[in-house]
Amino acid sequence: GGGLFLRAAATTATATARACRALAAFTASRRSLRTSPPSQGFAKELFLGTIEKKEVFPFPEVDQEELNEINQFLGPVEKFFTEEVDSQKIDREGKIPEETLEKLKSLGLFGMQVPEEYGGLGLSSTMYARLGEIIALDASITVTLAAHQSIGLKGIIITGNEEQKRKYLPKLASGEHIAAFCLTEPTSGSDAASIQTRATLSEDKKHYILTGSKMWITNGGLADIFTVFAKTQIVDSNNLVKDKITAFIVERNFGGVTNGKPEDKLGIRGSNTCEVHFENTKVPVENVLGEVGGGFKVAMNILNSGRFSMGSTVAGMLKKLIEMTAEYACTRKQFNKKLSEFGLIQEKFALMAQKAYVMESMAYLTAGLLDRPGVPDCSVEAAIVKVFSSEAAWQCVSEALQVLGGLGYMRDYPYERLLRDSRILLIFEGTNEILRMYIALTGLQHAGRILTARIKEIKRGNVNMIVETIGRRLRDSLGRTVDLGLTGKDGVVHPSLDDSANKLEENVYYFGRIVETLLLRFGKTIVEEQMVLKRVANILINLYSMTAVLSRASRSVRIGLRNHDHEVLLANIFCVEAYHQNVFALAQLDKYSPENLDEKIKKVAQQVLEKRTYICAHPLDKTS
Amino acid sequence: QVAPKVPRGLHCSAATHSSDSDSSVVPRPPEPSRWPMKGLAPHQELFGQAPSGERDKASFVQAVQNFKQHSVRRRGHVDFIYLALRQMRQYGVERDLAVYNLLLDIFPKEVFRPRSIIQYIFVHYPRQQECGLAILEQMENHGVMPNKETEFLLIQIFGHKSYPMLKFLRMKLWFSRFKNINPFPVPQDLPQDPVDLAKLGLRHMEPDLSARVTIYQMPLSKDSTGAADPTQPHIVGIQSPDQQAALARHNPARPIFVEGPFSLWLRDKCVYYHILRADLLAPEEREVEEILEEWNLYYPMQLDLDYGRSGWDDYEFDIQEVEEGPVFAMCMAGAHDQATLAKWIQGLQETNPALARIPVVFRLARSTGELLAASPGLEDLPPQPPVQGQEEEEDNLQRQQQQSQS
C-alpha cells in the first residue's frame, strides 16, 4: 500500500511539473516577439496530440515591399518561359539549348538562394518557392536548376567556410560554373556505409586523392564544381581507425574527372544525367566541406533542406495544366454537350484544383516556417510537402490525361511529356517510401522521448497510470468532443471552417493517443513495422495539409482575398476527405496485425518473393 | 527366342506371337483359369501381334480392338481386362486415361446394372464389379484422374449404385485435393542423364533461387552402357550468394566438414548428396549485427528509446526452432569417395578464395549405393557406431590446405 501511495505521489508530482511547463509555454506564447527558442517543429508536436497553433496561425505573410520586388522580377522570367523556352524541343533533343541556359544565367536564376553578398539573388525560402512556380513550366530546366542550387551548391552555403564561399559562390551564382551533387553510387543509394569512393590524404598532407565513380548525377556532364562524398580514414577519440564520409568541393580542372554519356531517361529528358568518374583527383585539404569525417551530416542537411520547394513547383505546373485542360473541356462537344458539363469530368477538375490548393498552402506555409529567424528545423514538414506534392502531381496529370482522352496520349501535345516528367518526382530526393519512414520515425522519436516516463510506468504496472489510461480510453470510446482551441471565441480558424477545424482537432487528438498506443505496443522495434509507419506518416501528411489549408483559407476570408469562398469550399472538401482517411487509418492502427490485413499482405508478398513469380494457377487450369 | 508351342486359343489369329515374360503388377484374377492352356493367360496371343513388334500405345489399342472384333459377345472379357491391365506398363500406357476408358469400354453395357433394390443390396455381378474396381485401382496407383467419359461408361456398365461408381466418386473428390499437395513438385519424367538429375536434385533442395549450379566435373565416358568411368565421375555442386558470403566470413580457425552421403528420393530414384557445413557457433561467439551510426542517409534506422515490445505484445506463435550450423554448399557426385569430394572442394575454391585457409574435414559414411540408416553428424552428433559397412572416417582428417597445394 505504501509503495503504491508513493508512486501515486510521484505521478502527481510529474503532473504538476507538466502543468507548470504548460503554463510557462502559455506565458511564452503571449509574448509578442518570438524570443523563445524555436519549438521542436509543428509536425513533431502533432505526434503528442497537440496543435502548436501559434506556429501556423495566422498563415505567414511577406511584407509588401518584398512582394512588389518579386512581382517585378517575375514578369520577365514568366515572359521568357512562355515565349522563348520550347519544352517540346528540349524534350525531343534531350538537351537544353545553350542560349536558353545563357538567358537563365543572365536572369540570375542560377543563384536564387545564394546570399546577395556573394552575387546571388539572396531570396528567402518563400520567394524561392514563388519563383519556382514559374520555372516549373519546363521540368528539365527546373531539375537542372534544382540540382545546381538546391543540392549542388547548397553544401557550400550551409557548411562552407568564408573562404570557400568567397571562392566559389560568385561564379556559381552567376552561372559561370554549374554545380552537381555526387552522392549516389552503383552500390549505394541511401546506404551511406556502402559508398566506395575513397579519398586518401597525400604524403604531404596537402591533398586528398579522390578515386571512385558516381552515377545518375544530374548536371554531371555540365558541372564544373562537384560536391562529392567519399570515405576517408579517421582516427577517432579512442584512437581507432575508422572509415567515415567526408564532403569535398571538387573542381573539374583538378584533373582526373571524367563523365559518361548522358543517360536516356523516361522524363526530364532535357536535364543532363550521367556517371561521373574520379581518378586520382587531387583535392586540396582546403576544399573539405565541413569537418573531415562529417560528410554524413552535410549530406543529410543538404537533402533535408532541398525538399520544400517541390510543393510550389508542382503547384505551378498544375495550375498551367488546369488551364490547358479546362480550355479543352469547355470547347470539346460530345452529344451536343460540352465535356465540362459531365459530372465525371467536373470531378476531375475539382480534384486538380483541390490538390493544387493544398500543396500550394503547404508549400508556402513551410516556406514561411523556414523563413523565421533562427535555424528552424522543418525537415519533417518539407518531407511532407515533397511526398504530398509528388503524388498529387502524378495523380492530377493522370486525371488530366483522362479528360483529354486519346489526345493526351499523343506526342504532338505536351500532356504526355508532363506525365513522363512528373514520374520522377516520386523517386528522386528520397523516394516517397523512404520519406514516409523519415516522417514517421522522426515524429515517433520525438514523442517517444517525451512519453518515455509514462510508458515505463505503464509497463512496470503502475496501477494509477493504468487506471488513468483505461479511463481515458473509456472516455474516448464513449465519444468526446475534442477542443484544442482552433475554433470558438478565441479561435484562430474562421467560423466558416469550424466543421473542418473540429475534424482536424479530433484527428490530432486521437492521433496522439494512437502514437502512445503504438509506442507502448512496439517500443523501439517499431522501426521494423514499415506498414504501421506508413499509416502514421499518411495521417501526419493529412494533418499537416489540413492545418495548412485551414490556416490559409482563414486568412483569405479574413483579409477578403478574391474568390475566398472558393477557397473555403476547397478547404472543406479536402478536410472532410482527409478526415475520413485518417479515421480509417487510425482504426487500422488500433488493431493488431492479424486484423488489419498487414499479416496477410506480408504473407502474400513472402510467398510471391520466395518463388520470385506469380504463383497462382492459371484460371483455365484443371486438376485432372 | 523360341515361341513355345501352345495350342491356339479360340480367338487366336494366325499371326505368330512371342511369349512375354509376364512381370505383372496387377494381381491375377482370383479364380483359376478356366481356359485350357495352363501357364499362359488367356488372350495372351492378342498382345504382341503387332507387325513391327513394337510395344506402344498403337499396338496396345490394336490388341484391344482385336479382342473386341473377335469376340463380339465379349466372352472372357474379365480375363482379358485383367491381362490388359498387367500389360499396360510394358506398353508404356499406364498413365493414359484414354486407354483406361478403352478398357472400360470392353464391358458389355447395361447388362450389369442392378435393376432392383435386391440386386443392389446383394452385389450384382461381383466378378465384373471387381474387375471394374481393378481398372480404377490401377488408375489411382498411377495418378490418372478419371474424366466425364469414364463416368459415362461406368454408369452405362454398372449403373449409379455400384461399387465402381462409388470408387469413381471418391477418386474425383480426393484426387483434386491431393494432386498439388506437394509444395515441392518433382517433374513427372526425370532426366536420365545423371548430371541433369543431379542438377534437378540440387535445385530441388536449395531454397534460394539465386543459387548457382556448377558442374565441377563432367563424367568422362558416356558409352552405351551408361556406366560412368569410375576414375572421373560427375561432380555437380550448388551454392547461393548468401552461402558464399557466409563462407567468406567464416573464422578460418574453425574446421568445416564435408558430410554425406545423404539420400534424396526423386520419385522412384534415389540420389546421394554431400554437404559442406560448419558447426553452430556458441551464442557468445556470434557477431551481433549492429546498426551503424551513420548508415541511412534518409531516415533513422533505430530509435533512441530504451523499451521494446514486451512479452504480451508479442503475438507470434511460440515455435521451438532448432538452430543448425550453416551449410555452405551442396554437391552430388558420381562417386562418394574422398578423392572425388576433394575435387569438389578444389572447384569451390575458385569462387570462394577463403576456403583455401579453412581446414576441411571429410566425414564420410563408407556406404554407397544403398540407403543410409541415418544421416551421420547432423548437430554435433558423435561419430556413428560402425554398423554394417557404415564406417566413420573421423580419424581420416585431412587438411584441405595441404591438399590444395599439391
Side-chain angles (χ1 to χ4, degrees):
Chain A
L4 191 71
F5 174 72
L6 277 181
R7 241 180 263 166
T11 335
T12 12
T14 34
T16 335
R18 205 175 302 138
C20 289
R21 222 180 301 141
L23 193 67
F26 183 65
T27 41
S29 73
R30 277 302 173 89
R31 284 185 214 154
S32 51
L33 280 172
R34 277 210 191 91
T35 47
S36 59
S39 83
Q40 289 288 330
F42 172 76
K44 282 191 204 166
E45 294 296 321
L46 287 175
F47 277 83
L48 295 166
T50 54
I51 297 179
E52 293 274 308
K53 55 181 179 180
K54 67 175 196 300
E55 298 249 335
V56 291
F57 291 100
F59 198 73
E61 292 187 340
V62 292
D63 51 30
Q64 193 59 44
E65 204 178 313
E66 209 178 345
L67 193 64
N68 291 343
E69 208 174 295
I70 195 77
N71 280 341
Q72 273 174 9
F73 185 67
L74 284 181
V77 178
E78 191 161 9
K79 188 160 171 274
F80 168 67
F81 268 89
T82 45
E83 287 172 11
E84 289 180 46
V85 174
D86 185 353
S87 296
Q88 190 171 22
K89 190 171 156 222
I90 292 176
D91 184 62
R92 290 277 160 81
E93 292 177 2
K95 193 171 178 293
I96 303 171
E98 207 52 51
E99 60 271 17
T100 311
L101 280 177
E102 284 308 317
K103 190 74 199 288
L104 290 170
K105 286 172 189 173
S106 69
L107 282 166
L109 295 182
F110 275 76
M112 286 187 273
Q113 279 204 297
V114 178
E116 278 171 279
E117 52 194 297
Y118 302 112
L121 298 178
L123 297 180
S124 63
S125 299
T126 311
M127 292 301 116
Y128 179 59
R130 180 71 188 93
L131 207 50
E133 273 185 52
I134 310 295
I135 296 168
L137 297 180
D138 186 276
S140 296
I141 294 178
T142 313
V143 170
T144 304
L145 289 178
H148 169 73
Q149 52 197 334
S150 246
I151 50 178
L153 60 78
K154 199 61 161 275
I156 304 178
I157 299 181
I158 298 178
T159 43
N161 56 32
E162 192 52 42
E163 211 172 305
Q164 290 165 343
K165 286 185 184 176
R166 218 173 305 134
K167 184 171 176 195
Y168 290 109
L169 285 183
K171 281 189 178 169
L172 286 168
S174 69
E176 190 181 335
H177 286 166
I178 294 179
F181 182 77
C182 304
L183 178 63
T184 310
E185 293 187 14
T187 54
S188 157
S190 41
D191 178 357
S194 54
I195 285 180
Q196 306 276 331
T197 305
R198 185 161 278 285
T200 39
L201 199 56
S202 66
E203 302 249 309
D204 56 1
K205 310 223 163 182
K206 281 184 182 161
H207 289 94
Y208 278 96
I209 311 295
L210 186 71
T211 303
S213 296
K214 300 284 184 180
M215 66 189 260
W216 300 338
I217 305 304
T218 311
N219 294 351
L222 314 170
D224 310 282
I225 311 288
F226 301 87
T227 308
V228 185
F229 295 86
K231 282 234 172 113
T232 45
Q233 276 196 345
I234 306 288
V235 180
D236 70 355
S237 49
N238 300 335
N239 260 339
L240 286 170
V241 178
K242 267 190 170 177
D243 270 348
K244 288 200 124 187
I245 297 164
T246 306
F248 298 93
I249 307 171
V250 181
E251 297 175 26
R252 191 181 278 274
N253 54 26
F254 282 166
V257 183
T258 49
N259 56 270
K261 71 171 180 24
E263 306 280 351
D264 196 8
K265 305 187 288 290
L266 174 73
I268 53 167
R269 296 176 60 87
S271 70
N272 176 291
T273 308
C274 59
E275 285 178 21
V276 178
H277 309 282
F278 301 95
E279 210 184 319
N280 294 326
T281 305
K282 275 172 90 178
V283 186
V285 285
E286 305 90 77
N287 277 27
V288 170
L289 203 48
E291 280 173 30
V292 176
F296 188 84
K297 286 257 154 56
V298 176
M300 247 172 54
N301 285 339
I302 295 173
L303 290 168
N304 280 340
S305 72
R307 290 193 190 111
F308 79 97
S309 62
M310 191 183 285
S312 67
T313 316
V314 172
M317 185 269 286
L318 271 188
K319 287 194 253 182
K320 184 83 185 165
L321 180 68
I322 292 175
E323 255 176 54
M324 297 192 292
T325 327
E327 179 70 32
Y328 176 79
C330 293
T331 47
R332 165 108 171 152
K333 276 194 173 180
Q334 292 284 285
F335 317 115
N336 285 334
K337 263 169 127 185
K338 287 178 192 146
L339 279 194
S340 57
E341 292 171 52
F342 292 99
L344 286 181
I345 302 293
Q346 290 167 350
E347 196 183 22
K348 294 185 199 308
F349 282 96
L351 178 89
M352 286 194 275
Q354 177 204 324
K355 295 278 180 193
Y357 182 72
V358 176
M359 80 175 70
E360 214 177 37
S361 313
M362 265 204 285
Y364 284 98
L365 176 65
T366 312
L369 293 177
L370 280 167
D371 282 339
R372 287 174 312 178
V375 195
D377 175 21
C378 293
S379 52
V380 178
E381 285 85 349
I384 293 176
V385 172
K386 193 264 171 180
V387 172
F388 184 90
S389 51
S390 56
E391 275 165 20
W394 179 244
Q395 194 187 356
C396 290
V397 176
S398 166
E399 290 289 14
L401 253 71
Q402 213 59 33
V403 172
L404 295 159
L407 205 74
Y409 205 69
M410 299 299 139
R411 290 201 71 176
D412 285 342
Y413 296 90
Y415 309 105
E416 58 87 31
R417 192 187 68 238
L418 289 178
L419 187 83
R420 286 188 283 113
D421 287 347
S422 60
R423 192 61 186 82
I424 190 64
L425 300 174
L426 300 116
I427 299 168
F428 70 2
E429 295 197 30
T431 64
N432 286 4
E433 283 70 23
I434 274 181
L435 288 180
R436 281 200 164 88
M437 295 300 109
Y438 174 74
I439 293 165
L441 287 172
T442 316
L444 285 170
Q445 173 70 80
H446 175 70
R449 281 211 187 102
I450 289 168
L451 295 176
T452 295
R454 236 184 96 75
I455 285 169
K456 274 189 180 164
E457 285 293 301
I458 295 177
K459 288 220 174 206
R460 211 180 296 146
N462 182 327
V463 177
N464 270 32
M465 204 59 104
I466 292 175
V467 168
E468 190 200 312
T469 314
I470 294 173
R472 204 165 53 183
R473 284 274 167 88
L474 267 177
R475 272 204 309 283
D476 289 351
S477 63
L478 291 175
R480 49 166 284 180
T481 48
V482 183
D483 183 15
L484 299 178
L486 290 186
T487 56
K489 207 157 135 258
D490 298 324
V492 284
V493 175
H494 190 268
S496 58
L497 295 154
D498 267 1
D499 254 3
S500 303
N502 286 333
K503 288 197 160 68
L504 171 64
E505 284 173 331
E506 190 194 317
N507 276 167
V508 171
Y509 175 79
Y510 287 108
F511 180 57
R513 294 281 82 80
I514 280 290
V515 165
E516 199 180 307
T517 311
L518 291 177
L519 284 169
L520 192 62
R521 193 185 294 167
F522 297 111
K524 60 182 171 191
T525 58
I526 200 165
V527 181
E528 309 295 324
E529 307 288 329
Q530 295 204 330
M531 296 186 202
V532 170
L533 291 174
K534 183 199 84 182
R535 292 199 188 96
V536 170
N538 281 346
I539 296 175
L540 194 74
I541 291 169
N542 276 336
L543 293 181
Y544 186 60
S545 38
M546 283 161 95
T547 317
V549 293
L550 287 176
S551 175
R552 176 176 169 199
S554 297
R555 168 181 174 267
S556 303
V557 180
R558 289 211 168 107
I559 66 172
L561 284 182
R562 199 187 313 126
N563 293 337
H564 59 72
D565 53 334
H566 185 72
E567 287 188 36
V568 170
L569 270 177
L570 288 175
N572 279 330
I573 292 175
F574 176 74
C575 284
V576 173
E577 281 179 7
Y579 169 79
H580 287 299
Q581 285 170 13
N582 285 344
V583 168
F584 180 61
L586 287 169
Q588 279 190 314
L589 283 175
D590 204 27
K591 288 180 181 153
Y592 287 82
S593 66
E595 287 112 64
N596 63 13
L597 289 187
D598 282 5
E599 205 172 88
K600 287 175 189 161
I601 290 169
K602 271 192 183 159
K603 211 167 171 180
V604 168
Q606 276 163 7
Q607 287 172 353
V608 169
L609 292 172
E610 191 193 351
K611 295 277 185 278
R612 302 189 187 176
T613 176
Y614 174 75
I615 58 174
C616 294
H618 193 274
L620 300 182
D621 280 354
K622 284 174 148 186
T623 36
S624 55
Chain B
Q1 276 196 350
V2 184
K5 298 283 176 203
V6 272
R8 275 203 260 144
L10 278 172
H11 311 294
C12 268
S13 65
T16 56
H17 50 81
S18 63
S19 79
D20 303 313
S21 56
D22 195 8
S23 62
S24 81
V25 204
V26 179
R28 280 160 167 271
E31 73 264 47
S33 172
R34 282 173 280 139
W35 296 87
M37 51 268 187
K38 299 280 177 217
L40 197 64
H43 312 298
Q44 183 75 63
E45 70 288 345
L46 283 173
F47 290 100
Q49 55 182 209
S52 57
E54 262 180 57
R55 300 190 154 189
D56 56 1
K57 186 178 172 183
S59 57
F60 190 90
V61 171
Q62 188 56 48
V64 176
Q65 299 295 359
N66 284 346
F67 174 78
K68 281 188 180 173
Q69 270 171 21
H70 291 280
S71 169
V72 182
R73 301 194 190 284
R74 304 287 156 85
R75 204 173 296 149
H77 65 266
V78 171
D79 294 309
F80 177 78
I81 290 171
Y82 278 121
L83 174 69
L85 285 177
R86 286 202 299 277
Q87 297 283 349
M88 282 179 87
R89 206 182 240 283
Q90 291 166 29
Y91 282 81
V93 290
E94 76 272 16
R95 292 214 185 90
D96 196 327
L97 175 62
V99 174
Y100 285 105
N101 284 340
L102 194 69
L103 285 186
L104 276 177
D105 200 25
I106 296 173
F107 282 108
K109 311 293 174 315
E110 307 289 341
V111 182
F112 309 133
R113 283 176 78 156
R115 266 158 241 284
S116 69
I117 184 100
I118 310 286
Q119 283 180 342
Y120 169 62
I121 291 172
F122 298 99
V123 183
H124 202 45
Y125 286 98
R127 201 165 110 85
Q128 279 72 13
Q129 287 209 30
E130 235 165 63
C131 181
L133 281 176
I135 296 177
L136 292 170
E137 179 81 21
Q138 183 157 337
M139 287 169 75
E140 184 181 306
N141 289 341
H142 288 116
V144 181
M145 176 83 162
N147 66 355
K148 280 270 174 214
E149 194 190 339
T150 322
E151 186 183 4
F152 184 69
L153 283 167
L154 286 172
I155 292 171
Q156 266 198 324
I157 301 162
F158 301 109
H160 281 286
K161 305 217 161 172
S162 60
Y163 286 97
M165 198 56 202
L166 192 63
K167 169 101 187 155
F168 165 83
L169 289 175
R170 285 175 179 160
M171 279 168 82
K172 266 293 211 200
L173 178 72
W174 292 111
F175 263 39
S176 52
R177 274 148 187 76
F178 288 142
K179 177 127 194 256
N180 293 312
I181 199 93
N182 186 0
F184 309 104
V186 182
Q188 191 66 252
D189 299 308
L190 292 170
Q192 293 302 312
D193 183 29
V195 175
D196 289 341
L197 189 66
K199 275 189 200 167
L200 181 81
L202 289 169
R203 277 261 174 249
H204 192 67
M205 285 189 288
E206 175 62 58
D208 190 344
L209 295 179
S210 316
R212 242 196 12 250
V213 173
T214 317
I215 299 171
Y216 294 101
Q217 186 169 288
M218 282 298 272
L220 194 60
S221 68
K222 280 190 106 183
D223 49 9
S224 55
T225 56
D229 183 0
T231 56
Q232 195 177 339
H234 66 274
I235 307 174
V236 184
I238 193 166
Q239 194 181 31
S240 70
D242 286 349
Q243 289 173 328
Q244 218 166 328
L247 189 53
R249 278 199 308 273
H250 184 81
N251 179 5
R254 296 174 154 273
I256 55 178
F257 308 99
V258 175
E259 283 178 359
F262 305 115
S263 61
L264 170 75
W265 281 95
L266 296 166
R267 293 209 178 266
D268 53 350
K269 280 190 183 153
C270 187
V271 286
Y272 295 91
Y273 64 96
H274 292 77
I275 60 171
L276 180 69
R277 70 160 191 95
D279 282 333
L280 189 64
L281 282 177
E284 62 273 10
E285 289 172 59
R286 279 178 227 170
E287 286 175 43
V288 188
E289 194 186 308
E290 56 176 332
I291 293 179
L292 306 177
E293 206 173 299
E294 298 189 341
W295 198 358
N296 193 321
L297 280 162
Y298 291 93
Y299 64 92
M301 299 285 274
Q302 56 185 348
L303 290 186
D304 178 23
L305 302 174
D306 51 0
Y307 47 89
R309 196 190 285 226
S310 53
W312 33 281
D313 282 329
D314 191 359
Y315 32 83
E316 296 281 308
F317 276 115
D318 188 20
I319 301 170
Q320 275 271 292
E321 286 184 341
V322 180
E323 278 192 279
E324 292 188 2
V327 173
F328 298 121
M330 290 189 286
C331 88
M332 283 189 188
H336 309 317
D337 55 285
Q338 193 177 320
T340 314
L341 294 167
K343 278 187 198 159
W344 170 48
I345 300 294
Q346 265 173 357
L348 270 178
Q349 277 183 15
E350 283 173 23
T351 43
N352 300 277
L355 199 54
R357 297 192 309 274
I358 307 172
V360 179
V361 182
F362 288 85
R363 282 201 210 157
L364 306 176
R366 199 182 275 157
S367 69
T368 53
E370 63 193 26
L371 288 182
L372 292 172
S375 44
L378 258 178
E379 256 326 287
D380 289 307
L381 276 181
Q384 292 232 326
V387 198
Q388 310 164 4
Q390 272 197 28
E391 277 177 52
E392 276 293 326
E393 293 189 22
E394 186 66 64
D395 51 345
N396 195 356
L397 196 142
Q398 279 277 339
R399 296 279 151 179
Q400 176 59 30
Q401 214 162 2
Q402 301 157 357
Q403 206 172 51
S404 65
Q405 247 96 70
S406 58

